[in-house]
């Protein structure tokens, strides 16, 4: 296990008009107890000063690589460009407004050891100014989740909590959908026979902003149904059954 503590982690981030939060996200990465990382950021044609902030960071920290989409293309394209340039033993994801606890990478690498290829952690929800709303997600004591579990959203599996062992996956490209591309990738991986292992510690702060899709329950429900029917090719009956589980769990959460 000790050898993994020196392993390079490729951190994947898409940005679009992230100037208000990106520095805080960077600080949470820079303060990691696991210092062997590269941060691959793809900007999706921001119109604020996100790029100037990132260019200043690159001058100060050579572990950062900034990539740019030629046209505004969405988070899936942005993440895929970063993933294509990753060289780490592990791939981790963090969105441009989220925050990691200082031992997040170290704890997760130790948890995965040599046996686990796909892991995620619990996370705490914060508001747009960084205050806790008193809610922790994915803290249940379940060791792992299967493809069938995740069809029914038995866990939320927050993107900014996920870590993958890169060598074990031939294709980590996210499906080209405007929203829910991370969930679609997790399903693709799990469908191949892998399981997603949960570290039930809140090692990430997940920010809910006023314009976040997480606030729009109708859009989320429509996205969920489209993933069942169009991406996963489920029958109407199975889609409906999975959607009922998803809806009930969404209310409980």
């Amino acid at each position: 296990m000790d050898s993994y503590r020196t392993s390079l982690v490729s951190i994947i981030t898409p940005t679009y008009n992230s100037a208000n939060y990106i520095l805080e996200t960077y600080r949470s990465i820079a303060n990691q107890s696991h210092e062997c990382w590269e941060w691959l950021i793809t900007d999706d044609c921001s119109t604020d000063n996100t790029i100037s902030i990132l260019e200043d960071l690159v001058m100060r920290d050579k572990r950062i690589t900034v990539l740019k989409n030629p046209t505004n293309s969405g988070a899936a394209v942005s993440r895929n460009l970063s993933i294509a340039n990753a060289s780490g033993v592990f791939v981790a994801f963090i969105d441009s407004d989220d925050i990691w606890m200082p031992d997040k990478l170290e704890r997760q690498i130790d948890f995965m050891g040599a046996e686990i290829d796909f892991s995620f952690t619990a996370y705490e929800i914060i508001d747009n100014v960084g205050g806790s709303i008193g809610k922790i997600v994915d803290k249940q004591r379940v060791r792992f989740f299967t493809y069938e579990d995740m069809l029914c959203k038995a866990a939320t599996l927050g993107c900014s909590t996920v870590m993958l062992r890169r060598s074990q996956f031939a294709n980590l490209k996210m499906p080209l959908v405007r929203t829910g591309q991370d969930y679609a990738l997790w399903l693709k991986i799990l469908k191949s026979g892998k399981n997603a292992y949960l570290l039930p510690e809140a090692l990430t702060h997940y920010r809910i902003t006023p314009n976040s899709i997480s606030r729009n329950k109708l859009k989320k429900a429509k996205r969920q149904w489209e993933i069942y029917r169009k991406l996963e090719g489920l029958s109407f009956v199975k889609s409906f059954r999975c959607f009922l589980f998803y809806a009930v769990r969404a209310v409980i959460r």
Side-chain angles (χ1 to χ4, degrees), residues 7-18:
S7 297
L8 180 66
V9 180
S10 297
I11 302 168
I12 308 301
T13 300
T15 59
Y16 177 72
N17 290 351
S18 305

Side-chain angles (χ1 to χ4, degrees), residues 177-182 213 219 223 227:
V177 292
R178 292 295 290 194
T179 63
Q181 61 279 154
D182 51 341
I213 190 170
K219 281 186 179 179
R223 175 196 72 188
I227 287 174

Side-chain angles (χ1 to χ4, degrees), residues 71-220:
T71 59
N72 182 265
S73 305
V77 171
S78 299
R79 289 193 181 110
N80 287 342
L81 181 56
S82 289
I83 291 168
N85 285 275
S87 55
V89 174
F90 298 99
V91 173
F93 300 84
I94 186 168
D95 285 346
S96 58
D97 55 359
D98 292 341
I99 302 167
W100 282 342
M101 297 298 96
D103 60 346
K104 192 266 188 188
L105 293 180
E106 181 181 0
R107 294 280 299 113
Q108 201 161 3
I109 289 169
D110 282 351
F111 173 72
M112 292 175 71
E115 304 298 326
I116 294 174
D117 299 324
F118 181 175
S119 74
F120 66 108
T121 79
Y123 62 89
E124 183 174 1
I125 298 178
I126 59 175
D127 60 25
N128 64 313
V129 294
S132 173
I133 68 168
K135 186 173 183 181
I136 296 177
V137 180
D138 287 345
K139 61 182 179 180
Q140 60 265 48
R141 297 287 172 175
V142 178
R143 179 157 171 74
F144 64 81
F145 295 83
T146 66
Y147 173 72
E148 292 294 329
D149 292 331
M150 286 310 301
L151 280 177
C152 299
K153 293 301 289 280
T156 302
L157 222 166
C159 186
S160 293
T161 77
V162 169
M163 184 180 287
L164 304 169
R165 193 183 310 272
R166 192 168 63 94
S167 64
Q168 297 304 303
F169 304 100
N171 182 6
L172 287 178
K173 282 188 175 181
M174 291 194 172
L176 298 180
V177 292
R178 292 295 290 194
T179 63
Q181 61 279 154
D182 51 341
Y183 174 60
L185 174 60
W186 315 148
L187 289 178
K188 182 172 73 171
I189 292 173
L190 294 171
K191 198 173 186 177
S192 72
K194 294 287 186 182
N195 295 321
Y197 287 78
L198 171 60
L199 175 57
E201 298 176 18
L203 300 176
T204 297
H205 283 174
Y206 176 79
R207 194 186 307 268
I208 299 291
T209 60
N211 296 323
S212 172
I213 190 170
S214 301
R215 286 189 174 275
N216 193 317
K217 296 188 182 301
L218 183 60
K219 281 186 179 179
K220 287 183 69 177

Side-chain angles (χ1 to χ4, degrees), residues 55-74:
E55 288 174 345
D56 181 63
L57 288 176
V58 169
M59 295 296 292
R60 293 189 276 136
D61 194 331
K62 300 304 180 185
R63 295 172 293 181
I64 302 173
T65 298
V66 177
L67 307 162
K68 300 176 185 178
N69 290 334
T71 59
N72 182 265
S73 305

Side-chain angles (χ1 to χ4, degrees), residues 221-238:
K222 181 180 178 182
R223 175 196 72 188
Q224 192 74 17
W225 183 257
E226 288 176 346
I227 287 174
Y228 289 152
R229 296 289 283 153
K230 295 180 180 178
L231 289 182
E232 295 305 303
L234 303 184
S235 68
F236 180 86
V237 172
K238 185 167 185 177

